Amino acid sequence: MNAVTRTSRRNFLKAGAAIGGGLVVAFVVPGAKRLAMAQQAAAADGASGAFAPNAYLRIGSDDSITVLSAHAEMGQGIWTTLPMLIAEELDADWSKIRVEHAPAAQAYFNPVFGMQGTGGSTTTWSEFDRYRQAGAAARAMLVQAAATRFGVPVSEIRTENGEVIAGNQRVRYGALADDAGKLAPPAMDTLKLKDASDWRVIGKPTKRLDTPEKITGQAKFGMDVQFDGLLTALVARAPVFGGKVRSIDATAAKAVPGVRQVLQVPSGVAVVADHYWAAKLGRDALVVDWDPGEHAALDSDALRAEFSALADTPGAVAAQAGNIDAALAGAARTITAEYAVPYLAHAAMEPLNCTVKLQADRCDIWCGTQFPTLDQNNTARITGLAQDQIFIHTPFLGGAFGRRATPTSDVVSEAVEIAKAAGAPVKTVWTREDDMRGGYYRSAFVQKASVGLDEDGMPVAWRQVLVGQSIMAGTFMEAMMVRGGVDNTSVEGVSDSPYITGTAAHRVDLHSPGTGIPVLWWRSVGHSYNAFVMESLVDELAHAAGRGPLEYRRALLAKHPRHLAALDLAAEKFGWSAPPVPGRGRGIAVHESFGSFVAQAAEVSVEGGAIRVHRVVCAIDCGPAVNPDAVRAQMESGIAFGLGAALHSTLTLRAGRVQESNFHDYRVLRINEMPVVDVHIVPSTEKMGGAGEPGTPPIAPAVANAVFALTGQRLRELPLRLSAAAAADNAA
């Protein structure tokens, strides 16, 4: 056990004592997957030895059951799902369950990432065994303590709803907690977890534990952090990516009442003030002469043309089989198409913020973060403190979608730099405009495909070239995630698509041009655009083959039962076999991402020249659904998020500057545009997948395919825009 793990465990035991004694379970699960990227990160930060992921459960003598969540709650519901896993094996009284965010420490490393982090739709399935083992270990210790107290064999004891029972004797967990806490934890390999047939909590719709405080306004987000002596900072950043400060005139800024300091930091010029409004007015009054650097000519239209030209040339090979040139030449018919998607912002509801209190021997950070390990590492680099002197307090996250998980820890690193320079506690706030115009983005992509069909309209040759920025290039994860010039996150959902891998001759190429635009994972990452391309393209093939879109997909996916199960359930619940409603079109799509299989059918119309989505039926096979209510909520959320991008969202660059700034010109879905959504979960005992992201990819192609069915216009670019002629024809 290294110093970080020892310290975090010691602090946890102190916390247990602070609530009046009780049972604290700290355990190590052997065999956790450790990624090479985590080892590289550890080596870079001077760490050594293997990572030992731990999870903690606290049972207080006051009968409270506290679960420390190693993952951040950002609206996805894991503050309920993870405790359900513990409660199942513990036979807990659900009304006694409480949840806290775990501190940043090796004890809470994600077994998938090899660092503490929330993302990739990994939380539930990665913790499924680990959190159940936490409950089982605690239950075994309580049972042993009760056996000693009652003077009966362990075999004569059972547990139920927070009580240990032996014949007519029964005792609450809280009353046993002190005795149980003195016992040695059982070896993990001696624990027998419940069979699925015995589950009483897992699989049952369960109300979220964080809902009451969120609807009453008691929930604390990063923006809510406030204490005596805390200052607020806003930063003037270069209007062009990579720009630098030439000179600063801070005279007018310093004259604003409440402004304390004007500081140059690596990211720009920080105005530190007594409160937000003073910092905002002070920043507005700054006069900064910027050197725009080499990216001052960036233009989204020019990039679109550049990407399109690159798509006509061979790139790094992501997948190939057979003789693609010969197969295309011998095809009875060839379908060619070009698809494109724009740069996108994350546009989370809570603006970015981070509060830092830096002292000589410790640093406290309050921030809604997805990757506290990275934040801790970067803070150590900036401050010179040891990792166990850096305490990250994670409040609720007001949305993230990947933005609060940058490899550079840009938000946290900047805030630490400001607090260090200011010599005072500082909350650094990004306005929405700051992030929209100077943050990180989902890359634009252009794709060109040539698909050769046989006489029956089935694909015999498939060539596809993708062009867009790599999110891994230039990060510490590049060596792990980029192979042979191929960033797997760029091609996921294409290079491994059953449509392509099921075609005898195929080739997928990738170009990853550098542009200077900062890019990052965005909800569902590469699947967010690749599903749009693949499922729209398959619709084109079905039309060319003269077959229905559902029938054609079923033929192509005949050897993929989980795709078929989701597809068939969505079609059945949608009523696909019935004639479409007059004046409305319908489309369907199915896509696998993050281990889950999601199909969606959409019903649309055209109103006033604009696309209106009336109804979406969604089916998901995510393996066992721990909390079906949470899965349904995530599908609804993913559909709303994806619809915003499908119908509205785009970022435009002119002269190196992002033109959009807030929700008035960077449109997301409005409440009056939300369709009726009906979600169905495929009964499944297959391997568990994620639910946070897989609902997003299929919605854009389902809508685009519905628009084609209604208007005859094939829309190959997002956001979806009908031609004036098509809109007028439909209106008529």
Side-chain angles (χ1 to χ4, degrees), residues 210-221 224 396:
D210 55 330
T211 295
E213 55 187 304
K214 286 182 174 178
I215 62 176
T216 59
Q218 295 175 300
K220 299 300 182 185
F221 295 83
D224 297 320
F396 288 125

Side-chain angles (χ1 to χ4, degrees), residues 324 327-329 331-337 339 448-454 457-464 499-500 503 505-507 533-534 537-538 540-542 544 552 556:
I324 184 64
L328 281 170
R333 183 179 179 183
T334 301
I335 305 299
T336 61
Y339 283 82
K448 291 187 178 180
S450 298
V451 184
L453 304 180
D454 63 17
M458 302 302 285
V460 292
W462 198 307
R463 172 182 283 154
Q464 198 153 322
Y499 302 131
I500 289 181
T503 302
H506 62 262
R507 175 166 167 160
V533 176
M534 295 304 297
L537 190 53
V538 166
E540 292 201 50
L541 303 183
Y552 192 73
L556 291 179

Side-chain angles (χ1 to χ4, degrees), residues 501-526:
T501 59
T503 302
H506 62 262
R507 175 166 167 160
V508 177
D509 288 20
L510 173 67
H511 293 278
S512 302
T515 69
I517 301 171
V519 292
L520 184 66
W521 31 71
W522 185 92
R523 191 175 190 176
S524 73
V525 200

Side-chain angles (χ1 to χ4, degrees), residues 232 338 536 600 713:
T232 300
E338 177 174 340
S536 297
Q600 291 168 6
Q713 184 176 3

Side-chain angles (χ1 to χ4, degrees), residues 633-707:
Q634 282 300 286
M635 292 304 101
E636 294 166 354
S637 166
I639 288 167
F641 192 80
L643 267 180
L647 300 177
H648 303 303
S649 303
T650 186
L651 286 174
T652 309
L653 285 96
R654 297 286 181 263
R657 292 164 167 79
V658 174
Q659 301 301 294
E660 292 75 20
S661 63
N662 209 315
F663 289 136
H664 70 289
D665 53 7
Y666 184 84
R667 285 283 308 279
V668 297
L669 199 72
R670 306 290 172 84
I671 190 68
N672 65 308
E673 299 174 300
M674 185 67 186
V676 173
V677 177
D678 187 16
V679 179
H680 301 272
I681 300 173
V682 177
S684 177
T685 58
E686 298 289 340
K687 183 179 179 181
M688 186 181 292
E693 297 169 272
T696 294
I699 188 59
V703 171
N705 295 337
V707 170

Side-chain angles (χ1 to χ4, degrees), residues 534-568:
M534 295 304 297
E535 286 300 307
S536 297
L537 190 53
V538 166
D539 235 55
E540 292 201 50
L541 303 183
H543 182 71
R547 301 176 69 172
L550 175 60
E551 172 203 352
Y552 192 73
R553 282 176 173 80
R554 295 196 85 258
L556 291 179
L557 298 170
K559 297 180 180 179
H560 297 272
R562 298 188 73 182
H563 284 85
L564 283 178
L567 186 66
D568 287 346

